PDB file of all heavy atoms in Angstrom:
ATOM      1  N   MET G 255      33.581-199.356  35.206  1.00 91.00           N
ATOM      2  CA  MET G 255      34.518-198.910  34.145  1.00 91.00           C
ATOM      3  C   MET G 255      34.102-199.660  32.879  1.00 91.00           C
ATOM      4  O   MET G 255      33.726-200.776  32.883  1.00 91.00           O
ATOM      5  CB  MET G 255      35.983-199.263  34.572  1.00 91.00           C
ATOM      6  CG  MET G 255      37.045-199.177  33.565  1.00 91.00           C
ATOM      7  SD  MET G 255      38.660-199.494  34.101  1.00 91.00           S
ATOM      8  CE  MET G 255      39.032-198.062  34.963  1.00 91.00           C
ATOM      9  N   ARG G 256      34.344-199.034  31.670  1.00 93.00           N
ATOM     10  CA  ARG G 256      34.015-199.475  30.381  1.00 93.00           C
ATOM     11  C   ARG G 256      34.895-200.714  30.066  1.00 93.00           C
ATOM     12  O   ARG G 256      36.022-200.751  30.531  1.00 93.00           O
ATOM     13  CB  ARG G 256      34.198-198.424  29.364  1.00 93.00           C
ATOM     14  CG  ARG G 256      33.170-197.365  29.325  1.00 93.00           C
ATOM     15  CD  ARG G 256      33.577-196.262  28.361  1.00 93.00           C
ATOM     16  NE  ARG G 256      33.891-196.769  27.140  1.00 93.00           N
ATOM     17  CZ  ARG G 256      33.244-196.510  25.918  1.00 93.00           C
ATOM     18  NH1 ARG G 256      32.108-195.856  25.974  1.00 93.00           N
ATOM     19  NH2 ARG G 256      33.545-197.058  24.831  1.00 93.00           N
ATOM     20  N   LEU G 257      34.380-201.587  29.311  1.00 94.00           N
ATOM     21  CA  LEU G 257      35.167-202.805  28.988  1.00 94.00           C
ATOM     22  C   LEU G 257      36.379-202.467  28.261  1.00 94.00           C
ATOM     23  O   LEU G 257      37.500-202.937  28.599  1.00 94.00           O
ATOM     24  CB  LEU G 257      34.320-203.728  28.119  1.00 94.00           C
ATOM     25  CG  LEU G 257      34.911-204.897  27.460  1.00 94.00           C
ATOM     26  CD1 LEU G 257      35.472-205.817  28.568  1.00 94.00           C
ATOM     27  CD2 LEU G 257      33.895-205.651  26.622  1.00 94.00           C
ATOM     28  N   ASP G 258      36.330-201.594  27.205  1.00 93.00           N
ATOM     29  CA  ASP G 258      37.515-201.250  26.519  1.00 93.00           C
ATOM     30  C   ASP G 258      38.563-200.542  27.321  1.00 93.00           C
ATOM     31  O   ASP G 258      39.848-200.880  27.169  1.00 93.00           O
ATOM     32  CB  ASP G 258      37.175-200.449  25.251  1.00 93.00           C
ATOM     33  CG  ASP G 258      36.464-199.112  25.540  1.00 93.00           C
ATOM     34  OD1 ASP G 258      35.997-198.892  26.629  1.00 93.00           O
ATOM     35  OD2 ASP G 258      36.471-198.246  24.611  1.00 93.00           O
ATOM     36  N   LYS G 259      38.193-199.763  28.263  1.00 93.00           N
ATOM     37  CA  LYS G 259      39.212-199.150  29.123  1.00 93.00           C
ATOM     38  C   LYS G 259      39.761-200.138  30.103  1.00 93.00           C
ATOM     39  O   LYS G 259      41.004-200.060  30.378  1.00 93.00           O
ATOM     40  CB  LYS G 259      38.535-197.965  29.864  1.00 93.00           C
ATOM     41  CG  LYS G 259      39.505-197.229  30.770  1.00 93.00           C
ATOM     42  CD  LYS G 259      39.174-195.863  31.116  1.00 93.00           C
ATOM     43  CE  LYS G 259      40.289-195.275  31.925  1.00 93.00           C
ATOM     44  NZ  LYS G 259      40.312-193.889  31.942  1.00 93.00           N
ATOM     45  N   PHE G 260      38.993-201.000  30.633  1.00 94.00           N
ATOM     46  CA  PHE G 260      39.526-202.114  31.565  1.00 94.00           C
ATOM     47  C   PHE G 260      40.525-202.837  30.832  1.00 94.00           C
ATOM     48  O   PHE G 260      41.634-203.244  31.393  1.00 94.00           O
ATOM     49  CB  PHE G 260      38.409-202.943  32.043  1.00 94.00           C
ATOM     50  CG  PHE G 260      38.908-204.011  33.007  1.00 94.00           C
ATOM     51  CD1 PHE G 260      39.188-203.736  34.344  1.00 94.00           C
ATOM     52  CD2 PHE G 260      39.242-205.258  32.573  1.00 94.00           C
ATOM     53  CE1 PHE G 260      39.677-204.636  35.169  1.00 94.00           C
ATOM     54  CE2 PHE G 260      39.706-206.300  33.427  1.00 94.00           C
ATOM     55  CZ  PHE G 260      39.916-205.921  34.763  1.00 94.00           C
ATOM     56  N   LEU G 261      40.288-203.271  29.561  1.00 94.00           N
ATOM     57  CA  LEU G 261      41.149-204.098  28.806  1.00 94.00           C
ATOM     58  C   LEU G 261      42.591-203.366  28.661  1.00 94.00           C
ATOM     59  O   LEU G 261      43.622-204.034  28.750  1.00 94.00           O
ATOM     60  CB  LEU G 261      40.609-204.477  27.401  1.00 94.00           C
ATOM     61  CG  LEU G 261      39.454-205.461  27.419  1.00 94.00           C
ATOM     62  CD1 LEU G 261      38.872-205.666  26.063  1.00 94.00           C
ATOM     63  CD2 LEU G 261      39.822-206.878  28.101  1.00 94.00           C
ATOM     64  N   LYS G 262      42.528-202.194  28.367  1.00 94.00           N
ATOM     65  CA  LYS G 262      43.726-201.280  28.276  1.00 94.00           C
ATOM     66  C   LYS G 262      44.430-201.121  29.634  1.00 94.00           C
ATOM     67  O   LYS G 262      45.616-201.423  29.779  1.00 94.00           O
ATOM     68  CB  LYS G 262      43.353-200.014  27.649  1.00 94.00           C
ATOM     69  CG  LYS G 262      44.672-199.133  27.443  1.00 94.00           C
ATOM     70  CD  LYS G 262      44.522-197.860  28.132  1.00 94.00           C
ATOM     71  CE  LYS G 262      45.754-196.932  27.831  1.00 94.00           C
ATOM     72  NZ  LYS G 262      46.376-196.521  29.068  1.00 94.00           N
ATOM     73  N   VAL G 263      43.708-200.765  30.728  1.00 93.00           N
ATOM     74  CA  VAL G 263      44.364-200.486  31.981  1.00 93.00           C
ATOM     75  C   VAL G 263      44.937-201.822  32.523  1.00 93.00           C
ATOM     76  O   VAL G 263      45.983-201.793  33.151  1.00 93.00           O
ATOM     77  CB  VAL G 263      43.335-199.900  32.905  1.00 93.00           C
ATOM     78  CG1 VAL G 263      43.773-199.906  34.402  1.00 93.00           C
ATOM     79  CG2 VAL G 263      42.969-198.484  32.497  1.00 93.00           C
ATOM     80  N   SER G 264      44.285-202.885  32.322  1.00 93.00           N
ATOM     81  CA  SER G 264      44.805-204.219  32.891  1.00 93.00           C
ATOM     82  C   SER G 264      45.857-204.832  32.032  1.00 93.00           C
ATOM     83  O   SER G 264      46.415-205.758  32.355  1.00 93.00           O
ATOM     84  CB  SER G 264      43.661-205.209  33.041  1.00 93.00           C
ATOM     85  OG  SER G 264      43.084-205.481  31.767  1.00 93.00           O
ATOM     86  N   ARG G 265      46.086-204.233  30.874  1.00 93.00           N
ATOM     87  CA  ARG G 265      47.159-204.621  29.909  1.00 93.00           C
ATOM     88  C   ARG G 265      46.843-205.914  29.315  1.00 93.00           C
ATOM     89  O   ARG G 265      47.704-206.611  28.873  1.00 93.00           O
ATOM     90  CB  ARG G 265      48.530-204.597  30.590  1.00 93.00           C
ATOM     91  CG  ARG G 265      48.866-203.252  31.305  1.00 93.00           C
ATOM     92  CD  ARG G 265      49.995-202.608  30.927  1.00 93.00           C
ATOM     93  NE  ARG G 265      50.463-201.391  31.415  1.00 93.00           N
ATOM     94  CZ  ARG G 265      49.962-200.520  32.310  1.00 93.00           C
ATOM     95  NH1 ARG G 265      48.790-200.781  32.819  1.00 93.00           N
ATOM     96  NH2 ARG G 265      50.658-199.388  32.594  1.00 93.00           N
ATOM     97  N   LEU G 266      45.536-206.308  29.228  1.00 93.00           N
ATOM     98  CA  LEU G 266      45.187-207.521  28.394  1.00 93.00           C
ATOM     99  C   LEU G 266      45.265-207.220  27.036  1.00 93.00           C
ATOM    100  O   LEU G 266      45.604-208.084  26.151  1.00 93.00           O
ATOM    101  CB  LEU G 266      43.772-207.856  28.807  1.00 93.00           C
ATOM    102  CG  LEU G 266      43.590-208.546  30.232  1.00 93.00           C
ATOM    103  CD1 LEU G 266      42.105-208.674  30.663  1.00 93.00           C
ATOM    104  CD2 LEU G 266      44.249-209.881  30.270  1.00 93.00           C
ATOM    105  N   ILE G 267      45.013-205.987  26.620  1.00 93.00           N
ATOM    106  CA  ILE G 267      45.198-205.438  25.236  1.00 93.00           C
ATOM    107  C   ILE G 267      45.905-204.076  25.358  1.00 93.00           C
ATOM    108  O   ILE G 267      45.581-203.253  26.248  1.00 93.00           O
ATOM    109  CB  ILE G 267      43.827-205.321  24.600  1.00 93.00           C
ATOM    110  CG1 ILE G 267      43.162-206.571  24.353  1.00 93.00           C
ATOM    111  CG2 ILE G 267      44.094-204.560  23.186  1.00 93.00           C
ATOM    112  CD1 ILE G 267      41.817-206.654  23.606  1.00 93.00           C
ATOM    113  N   LYS G 268      46.974-203.902  24.546  1.00 92.00           N
ATOM    114  CA  LYS G 268      47.818-202.746  24.785  1.00 92.00           C
ATOM    115  C   LYS G 268      47.245-201.364  24.532  1.00 92.00           C
ATOM    116  O   LYS G 268      47.594-200.426  25.139  1.00 92.00           O
ATOM    117  CB  LYS G 268      49.013-202.891  23.979  1.00 92.00           C
ATOM    118  CG  LYS G 268      50.038-204.072  24.408  1.00 92.00           C
ATOM    119  CD  LYS G 268      51.319-204.074  23.720  1.00 92.00           C
ATOM    120  CE  LYS G 268      52.126-205.118  24.241  1.00 92.00           C
ATOM    121  NZ  LYS G 268      53.548-205.075  23.695  1.00 92.00           N
ATOM    122  N   ARG G 269      46.349-201.254  23.618  1.00 93.00           N
ATOM    123  CA  ARG G 269      45.801-199.967  23.220  1.00 93.00           C
ATOM    124  C   ARG G 269      44.282-199.928  23.303  1.00 93.00           C
ATOM    125  O   ARG G 269      43.585-200.935  22.936  1.00 93.00           O
ATOM    126  CB  ARG G 269      46.293-199.548  21.773  1.00 93.00           C
ATOM    127  CG  ARG G 269      47.756-199.350  21.670  1.00 93.00           C
ATOM    128  CD  ARG G 269      48.121-198.845  20.316  1.00 93.00           C
ATOM    129  NE  ARG G 269      49.553-198.841  20.101  1.00 93.00           N
ATOM    130  CZ  ARG G 269      50.162-199.886  19.730  1.00 93.00           C
ATOM    131  NH1 ARG G 269      49.612-200.996  19.376  1.00 93.00           N
ATOM    132  NH2 ARG G 269      51.529-199.799  19.604  1.00 93.00           N
ATOM    133  N   ARG G 270      43.716-198.884  23.686  1.00 93.00           N
ATOM    134  CA  ARG G 270      42.280-198.725  23.802  1.00 93.00           C
ATOM    135  C   ARG G 270      41.559-198.811  22.444  1.00 93.00           C
ATOM    136  O   ARG G 270      40.498-199.439  22.312  1.00 93.00           O
ATOM    137  CB  ARG G 270      41.900-197.520  24.485  1.00 93.00           C
ATOM    138  CG  ARG G 270      40.479-197.489  24.922  1.00 93.00           C
ATOM    139  CD  ARG G 270      40.156-196.404  25.885  1.00 93.00           C
ATOM    140  NE  ARG G 270      38.716-196.395  26.111  1.00 93.00           N
ATOM    141  CZ  ARG G 270      38.124-195.440  26.848  1.00 93.00           C
ATOM    142  NH1 ARG G 270      38.953-194.422  27.498  1.00 93.00           N
ATOM    143  NH2 ARG G 270      36.864-195.468  27.184  1.00 93.00           N
ATOM    144  N   THR G 271      42.198-198.291  21.420  1.00 94.00           N
ATOM    145  CA  THR G 271      41.535-198.443  20.065  1.00 94.00           C
ATOM    146  C   THR G 271      41.559-199.816  19.568  1.00 94.00           C
ATOM    147  O   THR G 271      40.541-200.284  18.941  1.00 94.00           O
ATOM    148  CB  THR G 271      42.367-197.492  19.039  1.00 94.00           C
ATOM    149  OG1 THR G 271      43.696-197.843  19.111  1.00 94.00           O
ATOM    150  CG2 THR G 271      42.170-195.981  19.369  1.00 94.00           C
ATOM    151  N   VAL G 272      42.563-200.560  19.794  1.00 94.00           N
ATOM    152  CA  VAL G 272      42.628-202.030  19.571  1.00 94.00           C
ATOM    153  C   VAL G 272      41.584-202.764  20.376  1.00 94.00           C
ATOM    154  O   VAL G 272      40.782-203.588  19.786  1.00 94.00           O
ATOM    155  CB  VAL G 272      44.036-202.659  19.688  1.00 94.00           C
ATOM    156  CG1 VAL G 272      43.959-204.160  19.496  1.00 94.00           C
ATOM    157  CG2 VAL G 272      45.061-201.929  18.847  1.00 94.00           C
ATOM    158  N   ALA G 273      41.467-202.449  21.661  1.00 93.00           N
ATOM    159  CA  ALA G 273      40.426-203.062  22.440  1.00 93.00           C
ATOM    160  C   ALA G 273      38.992-202.810  21.944  1.00 93.00           C
ATOM    161  O   ALA G 273      38.085-203.632  21.864  1.00 93.00           O
ATOM    162  CB  ALA G 273      40.516-202.564  23.908  1.00 93.00           C
ATOM    163  N   ASN G 274      38.868-201.516  21.506  1.00 94.00           N
ATOM    164  CA  ASN G 274      37.527-201.108  21.001  1.00 94.00           C
ATOM    165  C   ASN G 274      37.258-201.895  19.655  1.00 94.00           C
ATOM    166  O   ASN G 274      36.066-202.389  19.502  1.00 94.00           O
ATOM    167  CB  ASN G 274      37.602-199.577  20.612  1.00 94.00           C
ATOM    168  CG  ASN G 274      36.314-198.984  20.630  1.00 94.00           C
ATOM    169  OD1 ASN G 274      35.302-199.480  20.230  1.00 94.00           O
ATOM    170  ND2 ASN G 274      36.229-197.653  21.145  1.00 94.00           N
ATOM    171  N   SER G 275      38.153-202.059  18.781  1.00 93.00           N
ATOM    172  CA  SER G 275      37.828-202.779  17.569  1.00 93.00           C
ATOM    173  C   SER G 275      37.684-204.221  17.811  1.00 93.00           C
ATOM    174  O   SER G 275      36.839-204.900  17.165  1.00 93.00           O
ATOM    175  CB  SER G 275      38.969-202.499  16.489  1.00 93.00           C
ATOM    176  OG  SER G 275      40.257-203.047  17.010  1.00 93.00           O
ATOM    177  N   VAL G 276      38.387-204.805  18.719  1.00 93.00           N
ATOM    178  CA  VAL G 276      38.249-206.202  19.019  1.00 93.00           C
ATOM    179  C   VAL G 276      36.824-206.455  19.529  1.00 93.00           C
ATOM    180  O   VAL G 276      36.156-207.464  19.260  1.00 93.00           O
ATOM    181  CB  VAL G 276      39.349-206.757  20.057  1.00 93.00           C
ATOM    182  CG1 VAL G 276      39.097-208.064  20.589  1.00 93.00           C
ATOM    183  CG2 VAL G 276      40.645-206.718  19.346  1.00 93.00           C
ATOM    184  N   CYS G 277      36.383-205.573  20.533  1.00 92.00           N
ATOM    185  CA  CYS G 277      35.016-205.703  20.991  1.00 92.00           C
ATOM    186  C   CYS G 277      34.023-205.540  19.918  1.00 92.00           C
ATOM    187  O   CYS G 277      32.959-206.275  19.857  1.00 92.00           O
ATOM    188  CB  CYS G 277      34.785-204.655  22.069  1.00 92.00           C
ATOM    189  SG  CYS G 277      35.773-204.797  23.558  1.00 92.00           S
ATOM    190  N   GLU G 278      34.151-204.588  18.927  1.00 93.00           N
ATOM    191  CA  GLU G 278      33.228-204.359  17.881  1.00 93.00           C
ATOM    192  C   GLU G 278      33.188-205.578  16.954  1.00 93.00           C
ATOM    193  O   GLU G 278      32.158-205.803  16.326  1.00 93.00           O
ATOM    194  CB  GLU G 278      33.477-203.146  17.153  1.00 93.00           C
ATOM    195  CG  GLU G 278      33.309-201.887  17.881  1.00 93.00           C
ATOM    196  CD  GLU G 278      31.816-201.593  18.082  1.00 93.00           C
ATOM    197  OE1 GLU G 278      30.986-202.093  17.304  1.00 93.00           O
ATOM    198  OE2 GLU G 278      31.531-200.822  18.971  1.00 93.00           O
ATOM    199  N   SER G 279      34.206-206.359  16.839  1.00 92.00           N
ATOM    200  CA  SER G 279      34.238-207.466  15.976  1.00 92.00           C
ATOM    201  C   SER G 279      33.750-208.784  16.635  1.00 92.00           C
ATOM    202  O   SER G 279      33.922-209.880  16.102  1.00 92.00           O
ATOM    203  CB  SER G 279      35.637-207.719  15.381  1.00 92.00           C
ATOM    204  OG  SER G 279      36.543-208.066  16.397  1.00 92.00           O
TER     205      SER G 279
END
Side-chain angles (χ1 to χ4, degrees):
M255 175 176 278
R256 289 172 50 112
L257 174 59
D258 58 344
K259 182 155 182 161
F260 181 83
L261 293 174
K262 185 237 181 234
V263 169
S264 65
R265 310 236 180 354
L266 288 167
I267 295 179
K268 290 189 178 190
R269 292 182 192 89
R270 190 166 177 185
T271 55
V272 174
N274 206 323
S275 64
V276 170
C277 292
E278 288 292 336
S279 64

